Amino acid sequence: MVENLVSQRKISSIVSPNGEWEVEFERQQDRFAHRILWRPGKTAAPWVLASVEGADTDNWPPSPPLQQLSIEEQAGRPIALLVGMAGKSHWSMSVEPTDQGMLFDVACRQGVETGKLGSSYLLTPPSTADERPPLCTAADDPACTIHTVENRLVITPPDAGKLARWKYLLQAPR
């Protein structure tokens, strides 16, 4: 029984054109969590960034509460499209593989302007970390804010009122 549950956790994934980046989506309670795997040089041991999810009672979870997932193909590449709700707020996210890494475009239409918006990840290096950690850069103007504290990466949108949007690119360090 436990073996069955483990094998069913990963629902879907998308991979970058160079094969070094993968985003896995899995069901966690009422939402989809995602893990970003970066394998420099396509090595076996990846860096892992796991989304930090909240509970179904959180109006302002640490990452977008995304309840629906669709993988589409555009220009010959897979794109993940996700939507969800928490409280009176509506969320959307797209994940697109690029030649540089993975591009995330997140938005939230807030029913009530309060709470902290953003995307949070736990960063886990491989046991043999020869490479520096993946680089996260803002991919839009006005730029989102990116903080790294210990093993946590937090991306927050610019102050935008009731409609907030943040766009970021995860790529290999330069």
Side-chain angles (χ1 to χ4, degrees):
M1 179 81 170
V2 173
E3 209 172 280
N4 239 355
L5 291 174
V6 172
S7 66
Q8 291 178 1
R9 285 185 67 174
K10 180 177 158 183
I11 301 291
S12 192
S13 69
I14 58 175
V15 179
S16 66
N18 68 8
E20 290 188 355
W21 292 89
E22 181 177 8
V23 179
E24 297 179 341
F25 300 94
E26 66 181 32
R27 197 68 144 143
Q28 283 187 2
Q29 297 171 23
D30 70 330
R31 64 197 67 199
F32 284 99
H34 61 283
R35 289 182 346 137
I36 305 154
L37 301 120
W38 175 48
R39 294 177 181 88
K42 300 180 193 171
T43 60
W47 284 84
V48 178
L49 289 93
S51 60
V52 178
E53 300 300 322
D56 61 357
T57 55
D58 295 340
N59 283 336
W60 304 105
S63 290
L66 302 161
Q67 287 105 8
Q68 295 178 19
L69 165 67
S70 176
I71 306 286
E72 309 284 329
E73 191 169 307
Q74 292 183 5
R77 291 190 182 171
I79 295 179
L81 304 171
L82 300 103
V83 294
M85 253 183 97
K88 295 185 181 207
S89 299
H90 297 266
W91 304 73
S92 66
M93 181 171 81
S94 67
V95 183
E96 178 180 356
T98 71
D99 293 331
Q100 295 81 33
M102 288 289 180
L103 180 64
F104 291 76
D105 191 348
V106 187
C108 177
R109 178 169 301 282
Q110 302 174 69
V112 178
E113 287 185 58
T114 186
K116 188 169 183 142
L117 297 174
S119 300
S120 297
Y121 297 95
L122 288 177
L123 177 63
T124 306
S127 56
T128 56
D130 295 333
E131 296 278 339
R132 291 181 301 168
L135 181 63
C136 183
T137 57
D140 210 356
D141 192 29
C144 54
T145 304
I146 301 164
H147 300 283
T148 305
V149 178
E150 293 180 10
N151 66 340
R152 191 173 283 231
L153 174 67
V154 178
I155 304 140
T156 54
D159 186 18
K162 284 195 167 224
L163 179 60
R165 182 178 182 206
W166 55 108
K167 194 172 181 179
Y168 52 100
L169 176 68
L170 285 164
Q171 60 189 341
R174 297 181 187 131

Coordinates of all heavy atoms in Angstrom, one line a residue, residues 25-75:
F25 N 5.6 17.8 -10.6 CA 4.4 18.3 -9.9 C 3.8 17.1 -9.2 O 3.7 16.0 -9.8 CB 3.3 18.8 -10.9 CG 3.9 20.0 -11.6 CD1 4.5 19.9 -12.9 CD2 3.8 21.3 -11.1 CE1 5.0 21.0 -13.6 CE2 4.3 22.4 -11.8 CZ 4.9 22.2 -13.0
E26 N 3.4 17.3 -8.0 CA 2.8 16.2 -7.2 C 1.6 16.7 -6.4 O 1.6 17.9 -6.0 CB 3.8 15.5 -6.3 CG 4.3 16.3 -5.2 CD 5.4 15.6 -4.4 OE1 6.1 14.7 -4.9 OE2 5.4 15.9 -3.2
R27 N 0.7 15.9 -6.1 CA -0.5 16.2 -5.3 C -0.1 16.2 -3.8 O 0.4 15.2 -3.4 CB -1.6 15.3 -5.6 CG -3.0 15.7 -5.2 CD -3.3 16.9 -6.0 NE -4.7 17.0 -6.3 CZ -5.3 18.1 -6.4 NH1 -4.7 19.2 -6.2 NH2 -6.6 18.2 -6.7
Q28 N -0.4 17.3 -3.1 CA -0.2 17.3 -1.6 C -1.5 17.9 -1.1 O -1.8 19.1 -1.2 CB 0.9 18.2 -1.2 CG 2.3 17.5 -1.4 CD 3.4 18.4 -0.8 OE1 3.2 19.4 -0.3 NE2 4.6 17.9 -1.0
Q29 N -2.3 17.0 -0.5 CA -3.6 17.3 0.1 C -4.5 18.0 -1.0 O -4.8 17.4 -2.0 CB -3.4 18.2 1.3 CG -2.7 17.5 2.4 CD -2.3 18.4 3.6 OE1 -2.9 19.4 3.8 NE2 -1.3 18.0 4.3
D30 N -4.8 19.3 -0.8 CA -5.8 19.9 -1.8 C -5.1 20.7 -2.9 O -5.7 21.4 -3.6 CB -6.7 20.9 -1.0 CG -6.0 22.1 -0.5 OD1 -4.8 22.0 -0.2 OD2 -6.6 23.1 -0.4
R31 N -3.7 20.5 -3.1 CA -3.0 21.4 -4.0 C -1.9 20.6 -4.7 O -1.5 19.6 -4.2 CB -2.5 22.7 -3.4 CG -1.5 22.4 -2.3 CD -1.3 23.6 -1.4 NE -2.5 23.8 -0.6 CZ -2.8 24.9 0.0 NH1 -2.1 25.9 0.0 NH2 -4.0 25.0 0.6
F32 N -1.3 21.3 -5.7 CA -0.1 20.7 -6.3 C 1.1 21.4 -5.8 O 1.2 22.6 -5.8 CB -0.1 20.9 -7.9 CG -1.1 20.0 -8.6 CD1 -2.3 20.4 -8.9 CD2 -0.7 18.7 -8.9 CE1 -3.2 19.5 -9.6 CE2 -1.5 17.8 -9.5 CZ -2.8 18.3 -9.9
A33 N 2.1 20.6 -5.3 CA 3.4 21.1 -5.0 C 4.3 20.8 -6.2 O 3.9 20.1 -7.1 CB 3.9 20.3 -3.7
H34 N 5.4 21.5 -6.2 CA 6.4 21.2 -7.3 C 7.8 21.2 -6.7 O 8.1 21.8 -5.7 CB 6.2 22.2 -8.4 CG 6.5 23.6 -8.1 ND1 5.5 24.4 -7.4 CD2 7.5 24.4 -8.3 CE1 6.0 25.6 -7.3 NE2 7.2 25.7 -7.8
R35 N 8.6 20.4 -7.4 CA 10.0 20.3 -7.1 C 10.8 20.6 -8.3 O 10.5 20.1 -9.4 CB 10.4 18.8 -6.7 CG 9.9 18.5 -5.3 CD 10.3 17.1 -4.9 NE 10.9 16.2 -5.9 CZ 11.9 15.4 -5.8 NH1 12.6 15.4 -4.6 NH2 12.3 14.7 -6.7
I36 N 11.8 21.5 -8.2 CA 12.7 21.8 -9.3 C 14.0 21.1 -9.1 O 14.6 21.2 -8.0 CB 12.9 23.3 -9.3 CG1 11.5 24.1 -9.3 CG2 13.8 23.7 -10.5 CD1 11.6 25.5 -8.8
L37 N 14.3 20.3 -10.1 CA 15.6 19.6 -10.0 C 16.6 20.1 -11.1 O 16.2 20.3 -12.2 CB 15.3 18.1 -10.3 CG 14.3 17.4 -9.4 CD1 13.1 16.9 -10.1 CD2 15.0 16.4 -8.6
W38 N 17.8 20.4 -10.6 CA 18.8 20.9 -11.5 C 20.0 19.9 -11.5 O 20.6 19.7 -10.4 CB 19.3 22.3 -11.1 CG 20.4 22.8 -12.0 CD1 20.5 22.8 -13.3 CD2 21.6 23.4 -11.5 NE1 21.7 23.3 -13.7 CE2 22.4 23.7 -12.6 CE3 22.1 23.7 -10.2 CZ2 23.6 24.3 -12.5 CZ3 23.3 24.3 -10.1 CH2 24.1 24.6 -11.2
R39 N 20.3 19.3 -12.6 CA 21.4 18.4 -12.7 C 22.5 19.0 -13.6 O 22.4 18.9 -14.8 CB 20.9 17.1 -13.3 CG 20.0 16.3 -12.5 CD 19.5 15.0 -13.2 NE 18.5 14.3 -12.4 CZ 17.2 14.6 -12.4 NH1 16.7 15.5 -13.2 NH2 16.4 13.9 -11.6
P40 N 23.4 19.8 -13.0 CA 24.5 20.4 -13.8 C 25.2 19.3 -14.6 O 25.6 18.3 -14.0 CB 25.4 21.0 -12.8 CG 24.6 21.1 -11.5 CD 23.6 20.0 -11.6
G41 N 25.3 19.5 -15.9 CA 26.0 18.5 -16.7 C 25.3 17.2 -16.8 O 25.8 16.2 -17.1
K42 N 24.0 17.2 -16.4 CA 23.1 16.0 -16.4 C 23.6 15.0 -15.4 O 23.5 13.8 -15.7 CB 22.9 15.5 -17.8 CG 22.3 16.5 -18.8 CD 22.2 15.8 -20.1 CE 21.8 16.9 -21.1 NZ 21.9 16.4 -22.5
T43 N 24.3 15.4 -14.4 CA 24.7 14.4 -13.3 C 23.6 13.8 -12.6 O 22.4 14.3 -12.7 CB 25.6 15.1 -12.3 OG1 24.8 16.2 -11.7 CG2 26.9 15.7 -12.9
A44 N 23.8 12.7 -12.0 CA 22.8 11.9 -11.3 C 22.2 12.6 -10.0 O 21.1 12.5 -9.7 CB 23.3 10.5 -10.9
A45 N 23.1 13.3 -9.3 CA 22.7 14.0 -8.1 C 22.2 15.4 -8.3 O 23.1 16.3 -8.6 CB 23.8 13.9 -7.0
P46 N 20.9 15.7 -8.2 CA 20.5 17.1 -8.5 C 20.4 18.0 -7.3 O 20.4 17.5 -6.2 CB 19.0 16.8 -9.0 CG 18.6 15.7 -8.2 CD 19.8 14.8 -8.0
W47 N 20.5 19.3 -7.6 CA 20.0 20.3 -6.6 C 18.5 20.2 -6.6 O 17.9 20.0 -7.7 CB 20.5 21.7 -7.0 CG 21.9 22.0 -6.8 CD1 22.9 21.7 -7.7 CD2 22.5 22.7 -5.7 NE1 24.1 22.1 -7.1 CE2 23.9 22.7 -5.9 CE3 22.0 23.2 -4.5 CZ2 24.8 23.3 -5.1 CZ3 22.9 23.8 -3.7 CH2 24.2 23.9 -3.9
V48 N 17.9 20.3 -5.4 CA 16.4 20.3 -5.4 C 15.9 21.5 -4.7 O 16.3 21.9 -3.6 CB 16.0 19.0 -4.6 CG1 14.4 19.0 -4.5 CG2 16.5 17.7 -5.2
L49 N 14.9 22.1 -5.3 CA 14.2 23.2 -4.8 C 12.7 22.8 -4.6 O 12.1 22.5 -5.6 CB 14.2 24.5 -5.6 CG 15.5 25.2 -5.7 CD1 16.4 24.7 -6.9 CD2 15.3 26.7 -5.8
A50 N 12.3 22.6 -3.4 CA 10.9 22.1 -3.2 C 10.0 23.2 -2.7 O 10.4 23.9 -1.8 CB 10.9 20.9 -2.1
S51 N 8.9 23.4 -3.4 CA 8.0 24.4 -3.0 C 7.5 24.2 -1.5 O 7.2 23.0 -1.1 CB 6.8 24.5 -3.9 OG 6.0 23.3 -3.9
V52 N 7.4 25.3 -0.8 CA 6.9 25.2 0.6 C 5.4 25.5 0.5 O 5.0 26.6 0.2 CB 7.6 26.2 1.5 CG1 7.0 26.1 3.0 CG2 9.1 26.0 1.5
E53 N 4.6 24.5 0.9 CA 3.1 24.6 0.7 C 2.5 24.9 2.1 O 3.1 24.6 3.1 CB 2.5 23.3 0.2 CG 3.1 22.9 -1.1 CD 2.8 23.9 -2.2 OE1 1.7 24.5 -2.2 OE2 3.7 24.1 -3.1
G54 N 1.4 25.5 2.0 CA 0.6 25.8 3.3 C -0.5 24.8 3.5 O -0.5 23.7 2.8
A55 N -1.4 25.1 4.4 CA -2.5 24.2 4.6 C -3.8 24.8 4.0 O -3.8 26.0 3.6 CB -2.8 24.1 6.2
D56 N -4.8 24.0 3.9 CA -6.1 24.5 3.3 C -6.8 25.6 4.1 O -7.7 26.2 3.6 CB -7.0 23.3 3.0 CG -7.4 22.5 4.2 OD1 -7.0 22.9 5.3 OD2 -8.3 21.6 4.1
T57 N -6.3 25.8 5.3 CA -6.9 26.8 6.1 C -6.2 28.2 6.0 O -6.6 29.2 6.5 CB -6.9 26.4 7.6 OG1 -5.6 26.1 8.0 CG2 -7.8 25.2 7.8
D58 N -5.0 28.2 5.3 CA -4.2 29.4 5.1 C -4.8 30.3 4.1 O -5.0 29.9 2.9 CB -2.8 29.1 4.7 CG -2.0 28.3 5.8 OD1 -2.4 28.4 7.0 OD2 -1.0 27.7 5.4
N59 N -5.1 31.6 4.4 CA -5.5 32.5 3.4 C -4.3 33.0 2.6 O -4.4 33.4 1.5 CB -6.2 33.7 4.0 CG -7.7 33.4 4.3 OD1 -8.3 32.5 3.8 ND2 -8.2 34.2 5.3
W60 N -3.1 33.0 3.3 CA -1.9 33.5 2.7 C -0.8 32.4 2.9 O 0.1 32.6 3.7 CB -1.5 34.8 3.3 CG -2.6 35.8 3.1 CD1 -3.5 36.3 4.1 CD2 -3.0 36.4 1.9 NE1 -4.4 37.1 3.5 CE2 -4.1 37.2 2.2 CE3 -2.6 36.4 0.6 CZ2 -4.8 38.0 1.3 CZ3 -3.2 37.1 -0.4 CH2 -4.3 37.9 0.0
P61 N -0.8 31.4 2.1 CA 0.2 30.3 2.2 C 1.5 30.8 1.7 O 1.6 31.8 1.0 CB -0.4 29.2 1.3 CG -1.3 29.9 0.3 CD -1.8 31.1 1.0
P62 N 2.6 30.1 2.1 CA 4.0 30.5 1.7 C 4.2 30.4 0.2 O 5.1 31.1 -0.4 CB 4.9 29.6 2.4 CG 4.1 28.5 3.0 CD 2.6 28.9 3.0
S63 N 3.5 29.6 -0.5 CA 3.6 29.4 -2.0 C 2.1 29.4 -2.5 O 1.2 29.1 -1.8 CB 4.3 28.1 -2.4 OG 5.6 28.2 -2.1
P64 N 2.0 29.7 -3.8 CA 0.6 29.8 -4.4 C -0.1 28.4 -4.2 O 0.5 27.4 -4.5 CB 0.9 30.0 -5.9 CG 2.2 30.8 -5.9 CD 3.0 30.2 -4.8
P65 N -1.4 28.5 -3.8 CA -2.1 27.2 -3.6 C -2.8 26.9 -5.0 O -3.8 27.4 -5.4 CB -3.2 27.7 -2.6 CG -3.4 29.1 -2.8 CD -2.1 29.6 -3.3
L66 N -2.2 26.0 -5.7 CA -2.6 25.7 -7.0 C -3.3 24.3 -7.1 O -2.7 23.3 -6.7 CB -1.3 25.7 -7.9 CG -0.6 27.0 -7.9 CD1 0.8 26.9 -8.4 CD2 -1.4 28.1 -8.7
Q67 N -4.6 24.3 -7.4 CA -5.4 23.1 -7.4 C -5.6 22.4 -8.7 O -6.0 21.3 -8.8 CB -6.7 23.4 -6.8 CG -6.7 23.6 -5.3 CD -6.8 25.1 -4.9 OE1 -7.1 25.9 -5.7 NE2 -6.5 25.4 -3.6
Q68 N -5.3 23.1 -9.8 CA -5.5 22.5 -11.1 C -4.2 22.6 -12.0 O -3.6 23.7 -11.9 CB -6.7 23.1 -11.9 CG -8.0 22.9 -11.2 CD -9.1 23.7 -11.9 OE1 -9.0 24.0 -13.1 NE2 -10.2 23.9 -11.2
L69 N -3.9 21.5 -12.7 CA -2.7 21.5 -13.5 C -3.0 21.0 -14.9 O -3.8 20.0 -15.1 CB -1.7 20.5 -12.8 CG -0.5 20.0 -13.7 CD1 0.5 21.2 -14.0 CD2 0.3 18.9 -13.0
S70 N -2.5 21.7 -15.9 CA -2.6 21.3 -17.3 C -1.2 21.5 -17.9 O -0.6 22.5 -17.8 CB -3.6 22.1 -18.0 OG -3.7 21.8 -19.3
I71 N -0.8 20.4 -18.6 CA 0.5 20.5 -19.4 C 0.1 20.7 -20.9 O -0.6 19.9 -21.4 CB 1.4 19.3 -19.2 CG1 1.6 19.0 -17.8 CG2 2.7 19.5 -20.0 CD1 2.6 19.9 -17.1
E72 N 0.5 21.8 -21.4 CA 0.2 22.2 -22.8 C 1.5 22.2 -23.6 O 2.6 22.2 -23.0 CB -0.5 23.5 -22.9 CG -1.7 23.8 -22.0 CD -2.9 23.1 -22.5 OE1 -3.1 22.9 -23.7 OE2 -3.7 22.7 -21.6
E73 N 1.4 22.2 -24.9 CA 2.6 22.3 -25.8 C 2.4 23.6 -26.6 O 1.4 23.9 -27.2 CB 2.7 21.2 -26.7 CG 4.1 21.2 -27.4 CD 4.4 19.9 -28.1 OE1 4.3 18.8 -27.5 OE2 4.7 20.0 -29.3
Q74 N 3.5 24.5 -26.5 CA 3.5 25.7 -27.3 C 4.9 25.8 -27.9 O 5.9 25.7 -27.2 CB 3.2 26.9 -26.4 CG 1.8 27.0 -25.9 CD 1.5 28.2 -25.0 OE1 2.3 29.1 -24.9 NE2 0.3 28.2 -24.5
A75 N 4.9 26.1 -29.2 CA 6.2 26.2 -29.9 C 7.1 25.0 -29.7 O 8.3 25.1 -29.6 CB 6.9 27.5 -29.5

